[in-house]
Amino acid sequence: MPTKTAADGFVERVELSGHIIDSLLLPKVLDHITAAGGRFEIEQITVGQAQRDPSFAVIAVHAPSADRLQQILADIADHGAVPVDSQDARLVAADIAGAFPEGFYSTTNQRTEVRLAGRWIEVQDQEMDCGVLIESSRHTPCAVDQDGTSSRQTPSAVMDGTSSRQTPSAVMDGTRSVPTTMTARCAAMTDVKIGQTYVVGHAGVRVRPEERQAKSHGFEFMNSPVSTEKPKGVAIRQIALELLRTRREGGKALLVGGPAIVHTGSVEHVSRLLRGGYIHRLFAGNALATHDIEQALFGTSLGVRLDSGDIIEAGHEHHLRAINRIRRLGGIRRAVETGELKSGIMHECVKHNVEFLLAGSIRDDGPLPEVITDTLVAQAKMREQIRDVTFCLMVATTLHSIAVGNLLPAWVKVVCVDINPSTVIKLADRGSFQTVGLVTDVEPFFRALVADVELLAGSTK
Amino acid sequence: MPTKTAADGFVERVELSGHIIDSLLLPKVLDHITAAGGRFEIEQITVGQAQRDPSFAVIAVHAPSADRLQQILADIADHGAVPVDSQDARLVAADIAGAFPEGFYSTTNQRTEVRLAGRWIEVQDQEMDCGVLIESSRHTPCAVDQDGTSSRQTPSAVMDGTSSRQTPSAVMDGTRSVPTTMTARCAAMTDVKIGQTYVVGHAGVRVRPEERQAKSHGFEFMNSPVSTEKPKGVAIRQIALELLRTRREGGKALLVGGPAIVHTGSVEHVSRLLRGGYIHRLFAGNALATHDIEQALFGTSLGVRLDSGDIIEAGHEHHLRAINRIRRLGGIRRAVETGELKSGIMHECVKHNVEFLLAGSIRDDGPLPEVITDTLVAQAKMREQIRDVTFCLMVATTLHSIAVGNLLPAWVKVVCVDINPSTVIKLADRGSFQTVGLVTDVEPFFRALVADVELLAGSTK
Amino acid sequence: MPTKTAADGFVERVELSGHIIDSLLLPKVLDHITAAGGRFEIEQITVGQAQRDPSFAVIAVHAPSADRLQQILADIADHGAVPVDSQDARLVAADIAGAFPEGFYSTTNQRTEVRLAGRWIEVQDQEMDCGVLIESSRHTPCAVDQDGTSSRQTPSAVMDGTSSRQTPSAVMDGTRSVPTTMTARCAAMTDVKIGQTYVVGHAGVRVRPEERQAKSHGFEFMNSPVSTEKPKGVAIRQIALELLRTRREGGKALLVGGPAIVHTGSVEHVSRLLRGGYIHRLFAGNALATHDIEQALFGTSLGVRLDSGDIIEAGHEHHLRAINRIRRLGGIRRAVETGELKSGIMHECVKHNVEFLLAGSIRDDGPLPEVITDTLVAQAKMREQIRDVTFCLMVATTLHSIAVGNLLPAWVKVVCVDINPSTVIKLADRGSFQTVGLVTDVEPFFRALVADVELLAGSTK
Amino acid sequence: MPTKTAADGFVERVELSGHIIDSLLLPKVLDHITAAGGRFEIEQITVGQAQRDPSFAVIAVHAPSADRLQQILADIADHGAVPVDSQDARLVAADIAGAFPEGFYSTTNQRTEVRLAGRWIEVQDQEMDCGVLIESSRHTPCAVDQDGTSSRQTPSAVMDGTSSRQTPSAVMDGTRSVPTTMTARCAAMTDVKIGQTYVVGHAGVRVRPEERQAKSHGFEFMNSPVSTEKPKGVAIRQIALELLRTRREGGKALLVGGPAIVHTGSVEHVSRLLRGGYIHRLFAGNALATHDIEQALFGTSLGVRLDSGDIIEAGHEHHLRAINRIRRLGGIRRAVETGELKSGIMHECVKHNVEFLLAGSIRDDGPLPEVITDTLVAQAKMREQIRDVTFCLMVATTLHSIAVGNLLPAWVKVVCVDINPSTVIKLADRGSFQTVGLVTDVEPFFRALVADVELLAGSTK
């Protein structure tokens, strides 16, 4: 259908598909349009019958000015509304290192595609709050889907966007009419180099929001992340099943953990999961590793005996002596290799080749030699290590959980466990909507989880 | 030693014994004296060597006026400071029903003795925020005495400092020289009847504060009630041991519980404790019983399926239909007897003769027939039923926990479990200092507790 | 359009109107249908353009059996889906006092209508978790809307308790063919009397769910009730505006408050609101009144001096002495009249004819003479007093807030203020969806509220 | 008195002075002795009369072995128990860079002195969890107190790392008999260089614990940091007085703040404090600065309009665009200087020469150019900037509050404000006992604080 000429000005027709009613996409999109001063007509709507069946709508978006229309289209694009008649993404070269061009397209954590030369290319390394870096690579062709309805165009770096300070130039490789292989990937602000090409604006970008989990899915009830009055056994069993499935299918499970794991007496539980091959990465800070090692060396955590609950005299020094000992030995790995460190979470990680990443913070004592004290370096390493993570269990750490939540794409399942509802709320507030929250206590949680995992592993043998 | 005549006026010597340094009694008493404008001399001090050894101090309290001195003595009496040269308690007849005489002695939850006719009598039914009712136990309530600073009347009770009701002593009934047997017990304000005799002022009253738990006791570390970062396994094991000890020694364990026990999926855990004979009383409200019965009848709690976590359509009506069903059947006991109610906490209580007391609140739906809707009647019944309770486990209910905390004497061990630190804090704030708080999640707590209890019971057989 | 005969069995067409997309009604209804094993066709859909414009849908509901169809229709009726071709409500006589007939229609807190003799009658005294009592009254005709599409029928009281659509049978009053005036109102379970007529099942009942607040409404952002990281000044200003509007328009504002109002030092703030005529009812418990009076008599709250924050020696007795004093005087009103009680919230209530209702709980000391200790009596009085309430401010009390939340119809605006997110969450969890939650601290909240109210009142003069 | 030779072995007499009863030092010390298997005799005790008067005790500590005795003396030394007959501190040279010698003395945050050559020298830069670095400096003599009872000895740097009381050996500079000027200061583990001299063991170290705040001090009631039911107006007024006093006396007030300051709408309040000269340092993270700048540039915080509470379309991108803009401009200072950044907390800091320190964390977006991404560098800069801080207000940030709490000496007054009790608890749990906690909401807190500060400033003019 051709675009209608409307009395009130500017019109663009967009499509929306998926569980648009169930997942609130349609109401959100309509809401955005009117809230931003636009108007809509629903030209076509088909509502999926079953839970699995997608729905589909075609909406004519009207706005009083071209600018307003662009703003509206940009807004609703994040919710998956794609113009029926699309155009290529606008590309601008970075003029300053470490900063995007003005008007850069700011990514979500949802699957995203950009249109280049009429083709939709999936953005790699999806991560929220990044820019989309476009690179040409002759030698490593990437999978490019074809868009049937569009004309074939060469990507053109639009330089008139007022945001640039150089002369308009041509396509990245300079050979304008030669179709090259293009890739798109998320890049962090600090990694921007002068001359790199970034997507600007929302045109030619489409987002495919992750479908909400089906209603009857067991995790679903936990989506109200803050209620503590829910059946916990069911939730824990499902997390156990998830760990088993991950191991069976060769996925990677990441544990992001805080020191309360040690303080509450959960070291042995986590050690069993590590030995059992249920956890494949550990992200933590200096505190978890320190108290774990303190326990291994002194039997205490923050000076509290973990076998009796007693407070040890001068025990508050133990964590510092533990750090000092490990620093003298040259690091955690060396301490394990030399036999000084004989038990605990860090010991199991070394013994079972579970990669661990200890990120520094300003409240660290010491820190341990393996701690990465530069936060940008730590972020970069975390980015690398989450690439193949398929399940993430965050326990009792707000800082690390939010950091990881910022890096993970929306389709990785995340379970966040904390006794403090505010941590879970903070994660949800920050847009990690795929996060399932469980407000419960760390030690009993791990105790029950290990029991379930081992029971289920036995029964499925 | 004789009382010194001091230049600055009025003096009284008091004794303080027990763990007065360890338990902070001495600093508190000294603090009270100076804060209230008095002055002290420590005439004698002996500090116990071992944890168990009591300390002892004799303190001369100076004050600029007789009134001030009385006020100070009254203040420090609650901390166990007893005048070396004591006088009898002052008794006044109640002039109004349902209210104490002005200046009544307001009780603590600590062991208390009153001096009558030179003898110290232990106060029965110790409970905080009550008056001390003095009765002569011939057959009739004692006659009324006048309040006067001077009238020399004979209340003469047990002289040897031991708790006893034996020796006949004098006189509430006006027959001055006839020795009668006197008793003292706590009485609630609403139970005051005209003509009853109550203690007024602090003279002749001494309090024997419960000793703080020794430092090395495993529960001790939980005394900071709000930290969630403590080893939980140890705490749970100790509660398990307490339940076993209570059963072995023929004590009575009281469970005070809220509906989150059901919502979190802990019904089967609690049922096992009931069947195992570890719990001998249940205090709860309409909500716990209702959701327990809802689960037995419909498999849901507040409309959430407890086996799958799914939300059932129209399930929010289940609790109301459960109440209605039980009301139609004539009550919980009838529902069990007729075979309509086949499982759950209430079912186990009826089957295993565990007394349950359901107290009403203004937020109740229904309520169930067994619910006592008058709060004063409920309090009275609670008072009766706690008399022989030796261990109390409070789980996930602020209202009932505080209500029971108000009634229990200080020497009954109380463990308060809630995922919300504020509940535990509220209990501690209100003076139930014997309360041990555990901030943890209900279902995993009960799951671990039952496992520990059954393991330990097996191993001790 | 006539009902289609479908291959897969039973069909009924329902209408849904209002903000059905925006408010999630449509997705919910479709979800219910498929979740319960049915199937739907959207025969017609019109989506409102502007925020205010309602949408409208006609949905054909298919089910494999008549029973299943009835179940589905019952489920979706609570979300406002009304059969296009409707039938009268089924009526059954109560056979047991204090319990509804089995299968009774369980009310929501939304506007509800029942169809009797072809006419839709609005249910009075709307309250959740009640039954719908049908009464005939010749003398007091109530407003009855006519349903144009339906035939005129006599309401049929089905006395046998079985489902039937047969011939209309005898009306309650026995005079069969004489059309009488019928009324419908919510009745609590405990108030059921033998022989009264109640609605059974969902047929002939339609619910008109309250519209969600428009997105741009200032209160809207607070609908995520648990986040503490929201601009607070805006929220407080809007509550101030609501109080001003209520007073201006002659509405009734109800304050439901807990003792933290006194402990945090907010007595003077609340007193100003009372004196200013901004609060017209007070629901509280013994604790708020006691500590308010304690402050008036002794200058302390729970023994803490409110002007200095100091802890007073023996101050913990003050609350008990306050209660005793008032009991001796014969009550709060008498204490004000005799000049003994000279300030505070209760004093202002008496002086300014603000009705107060003190409901008892099992944790009460005393209680004060005005406290209603029977919870059913208290509920009944609360029901009476909320009839004309148009705005409700709940502060720092979980028990009373939930109790009032249970009684209020959905269209009364409620603001719930508590420093503890769990209280706000509990209210939201229990279906009081009209509740706006504000997680903030009591005293600074009231301080800012009073400042705003007085500023705005001045500026609008 | 001479040291007694006891039947059970080894004895050392220690002195304890200060508010040893009131502040629980005496019970703690006695407790440590017996818990560690020792025995004590109180040889002398004097209890101070008034609040201000110090008490004094001489205690003979007995232990069955020399090692045990040393352990006990080490434990109680942290509570201020000083051997009557003292010896010099043991010094050991660092053998590894970045780690202390084994057995290093681990510092507290209390005033500490070390004995070198018979003289007690105060340790500079007091900070917990550090080592004590001893340096000789001929040119900059430091204040050295003389210890009357001790003989003059040369400090002995024991280089072999073994415990020894042998012959005095070479002083650091090698010039044995020449008395040099020695200094002692806290050094962090990472700053250890090979060859530096550190104190090992507890001998020759004495701690002078900060006195607990007097009971009648208004802040005192807040020492139970978690209760939310306390009069807040009093607490806020006292913080206001503290800010005024700090400014008047030329002290330095440090604000440690989290982004909730911006989210809750407190930017203008904090700006007034900055403009008024009440805050002299700001420690924060990328988030506070980012959202502050987001508000200045876009009027939103995390995409929420702060003037209306509305959620802005695409507003979630604002914080990233704000960071990008500032990076493009070259930093916050440049943005202020060029007039791009016209308001907000960061703007006021630049305008009023308030030093700000932004420390990085792994959850940062961007970050802003001024953010110090290496946590060790950030810690080092924080150390420098807190040297002259006399009052510290921590608001709504756990990470930064704990980091600063770790660095501050015990005598700097700290007020920690958070709506979440767990943050305040965490600070208290970690030994920052000088911390006064206030559980309240950020915006109303600042609103009231500014009002009080401005009122009080006006009234004292």
Side-chain angles (χ1 to χ4, degrees), chain B residues 46-127:
Chain B
T46 319
V47 179
Q49 188 63 225
Q51 280 281 341
R52 328 265 118 183
D53 299 351
S55 302
F56 177 84
V58 176
I59 302 158
V61 183
H62 300 252
S65 70
D67 274 5
R68 186 67 61 88
L69 185 59
Q70 286 315 308
Q71 180 57 40
I72 293 173
L73 293 174
D75 288 349
I76 65 179
D78 279 358
H79 298 289
V82 187
V84 172
D85 304 306
S86 202
Q87 51 190 119
D88 276 6
R90 279 179 52 222
L91 305 181
V92 169
D95 54 342
I96 292 176
F100 296 120
E102 277 287 343
F104 68 100
Y105 174 79
S106 170
T107 59
T108 68
N109 58 3
Q110 305 284 353
R111 285 183 210 283
T112 303
E113 292 169 333
V114 292
R115 205 178 104 153
L116 300 175
R119 294 173 169 185
W120 289 103
I121 299 178
E122 183 167 353
V123 175
Q124 305 299 309
D125 301 346
Q126 192 63 49
E127 178 187 332

Side-chain angles (χ1 to χ4, degrees), chain C residues 257-259 262 282 284-296 319 322-323 326 332 341 343-347 356-358 368 370-371:
Chain C
V262 183
L282 172 69
N286 186 57
L288 178 134
T290 294
H291 294 296
D292 174 64
I293 292 169
E294 176 192 341
Q295 188 191 13
H319 78 281
I323 297 169
I326 300 297
I332 297 168
L341 187 58
S343 69
I345 293 173
M346 301 316 298
H347 171 266
F356 62 86
L357 189 158
L358 304 178
L368 291 165
E370 272 90 348
V371 170

Side-chain angles (χ1 to χ4, degrees), chain B residues 91-94 132-135 142-145 172 195-199:
Chain B
L91 305 181
V92 169
V132 175
L133 171 62
I134 305 298
E135 292 170 312
C142 20
V144 183
D145 256 0
M172 290 316 89
Q196 285 179 330
T197 305
Y198 285 89
V199 174

Side-chain angles (χ1 to χ4, degrees), chain B residues 163-348:
Chain B
S163 164
S164 107
R165 294 171 198 142
Q166 320 86 317
T167 344
S169 70
V171 189
M172 290 316 89
D173 56 6
T175 49
R176 184 168 170 177
S177 53
V178 180
T180 56
T181 308
M182 311 290 288
T183 59
R185 66 177 175 83
C186 289
M189 197 184 283
T190 47
D191 293 337
V192 174
K193 288 172 189 53
I194 291 182
Q196 285 179 330
T197 305
Y198 285 89
V199 174
V200 167
H202 282 77
V205 182
R206 72 182 179 198
V207 172
R208 302 192 168 280
E210 203 59 16
E211 303 294 342
R212 226 163 226 256
Q213 301 189 13
K215 286 291 156 53
S216 55
H217 189 300
F219 271 117
E220 192 271 341
F221 76 95
M222 296 192 288
N223 258 329
S224 154
V226 287
S227 178
T228 59
E229 300 196 347
K230 293 291 166 59
K232 297 298 166 68
V234 180
I236 295 172
R237 198 176 335 124
Q238 282 167 330
I239 298 169
L241 286 167
E242 207 65 51
L243 287 177
L244 284 160
R245 198 174 60 76
T246 301
R247 190 180 69 163
R248 192 175 59 241
E249 297 178 358
K252 298 291 177 200
L254 164 65
L255 173 63
V256 182
I261 290 177
V262 184
H263 302 327
T264 57
S266 312
V267 164
E268 179 50 23
H269 305 317
V270 174
S271 296
R272 289 174 87 125
L273 293 179
L274 289 164
R275 284 196 295 267
Y278 296 102
I279 293 175
H280 312 97
R281 300 267 193 290
L282 173 68
F283 286 5
N286 186 57
L288 178 135
T290 294
H291 294 296
D292 174 63
I293 293 169
E294 176 192 342
Q295 187 190 14
L297 299 182
F298 299 98
T300 60
S301 180
L302 268 182
V304 177
R305 281 210 72 83
L306 287 165
D307 54 357
S308 66
D310 292 346
I311 295 166
I312 294 303
E313 310 305 330
H316 61 281
E317 298 175 356
H318 284 174
H319 78 281
L320 208 63
R321 298 201 183 284
I323 297 169
N324 199 58
R325 186 84 57 88
I326 300 297
R327 287 179 70 98
R328 293 182 66 84
L329 290 166
I332 297 169
R333 282 176 212 286
R334 284 292 310 279
V336 173
E337 287 159 12
T338 60
E340 297 269 337
L341 187 57
K342 294 188 179 66
S343 69
I345 292 172
M346 300 317 297
H347 171 264
E348 299 294 343

Side-chain angles (χ1 to χ4, degrees), chain B residues 41 71 108 131 136 152 157 159 196 305 432 436 458:
Chain B
E41 285 165 76
Q71 180 57 40
T108 68
S136 69
R152 195 96 352 134
M159 301 298 185
Q196 285 179 330
R305 281 210 72 83
S432 300
V436 162

Side-chain angles (χ1 to χ4, degrees), chain A residues 160-442:
Chain A
D160 58 359
T162 68
S163 65
S164 96
R165 296 176 193 145
Q166 320 124 265
T167 9
S169 71
V171 184
M172 275 55 60
D173 58 2
T175 53
R176 182 168 172 181
S177 54
V178 179
T180 58
T181 308
M182 311 290 286
T183 59
R185 64 175 175 87
C186 288
M189 197 184 283
T190 47
D191 294 336
V192 174
K193 289 171 187 55
I194 292 182
Q196 284 180 331
T197 306
Y198 284 90
V199 175
V200 166
H202 281 78
V205 182
R206 71 182 180 199
V207 173
R208 301 192 170 282
E210 203 60 14
E211 303 294 342
R212 224 163 229 253
Q213 301 190 14
K215 286 292 155 53
S216 55
H217 189 300
F219 270 117
E220 192 270 340
F221 76 95
M222 296 191 291
N223 259 326
S224 155
V226 286
S227 179
T228 59
E229 300 195 347
K230 293 290 168 59
K232 296 297 165 66
V234 180
I236 294 172
R237 199 176 333 124
Q238 283 168 331
I239 298 168
L241 286 167
E242 207 65 50
L243 288 176
L244 284 160
R245 198 174 60 76
T246 301
R247 189 179 71 162
R248 193 175 59 242
E249 298 178 357
K252 298 289 178 202
L254 164 65
L255 173 63
V256 182
I261 290 177
V262 184
H263 302 326
T264 58
S266 311
V267 163
E268 178 52 23
H269 306 317
V270 174
S271 295
R272 289 173 87 124
L273 294 178
L274 289 164
R275 285 196 294 269
Y278 296 103
I279 294 173
H280 313 96
R281 300 266 193 291
L282 173 67
F283 286 6
N286 186 57
L288 179 134
T290 294
H291 293 297
D292 174 63
I293 292 169
E294 176 193 342
Q295 186 189 15
L297 299 182
F298 299 99
T300 60
S301 179
L302 267 180
V304 178
R305 280 208 74 79
L306 287 164
D307 52 358
S308 67
D310 292 347
I311 294 166
I312 294 303
E313 311 306 332
H316 61 280
E317 298 175 355
H318 285 173
H319 79 281
L320 207 64
R321 301 204 181 282
I323 297 169
N324 199 59
R325 185 86 55 90
I326 300 298
R327 287 178 71 98
R328 294 181 65 84
L329 289 166
I332 297 169
R333 280 177 214 286
R334 284 291 311 280
V336 173
E337 287 160 13
T338 60
E340 298 269 338
L341 186 58
K342 295 186 178 69
S343 69
I345 292 172
M346 301 316 297
H347 171 265
E348 299 294 342
C349 283
V350 173
K351 283 292 181 194
H352 294 85
N353 295 311
V354 171
E355 281 183 82
F356 61 87
L357 189 157
L358 304 178
S361 91
I362 50 167
R363 50 173 282 195
D364 290 347
D365 287 311
L368 291 164
E370 273 89 348
V371 169
I372 302 165
T373 60
D374 191 289
T375 55
L376 288 178
V377 175
Q379 278 184 347
K381 289 205 187 280
M382 289 161 78
R383 266 190 195 101
E384 279 169 33
Q385 295 197 15
I386 60 151
R387 290 279 179 261
D388 58 353
V389 165
T390 53
F391 181 69
C392 178
L393 182 58
M394 298 168 167
V395 180
T397 166
T398 310
L399 176 63
H400 294 261
S401 295
I402 293 178
V404 173
N406 287 349
L407 299 178
L408 284 175
W411 52 87
V412 175
K413 280 189 191 162
V414 176
V415 174
C416 174
V417 177
D418 207 296
I419 199 168
N420 191 334
S422 71
T423 299
V424 178
I425 293 166
K426 273 193 186 166
L427 272 167
D429 262 19
R430 271 161 183 75
S432 300
F433 295 115
Q434 79 281 26
T435 301
V436 162
L438 190 60
V439 178
T440 191
D441 192 12
V442 172

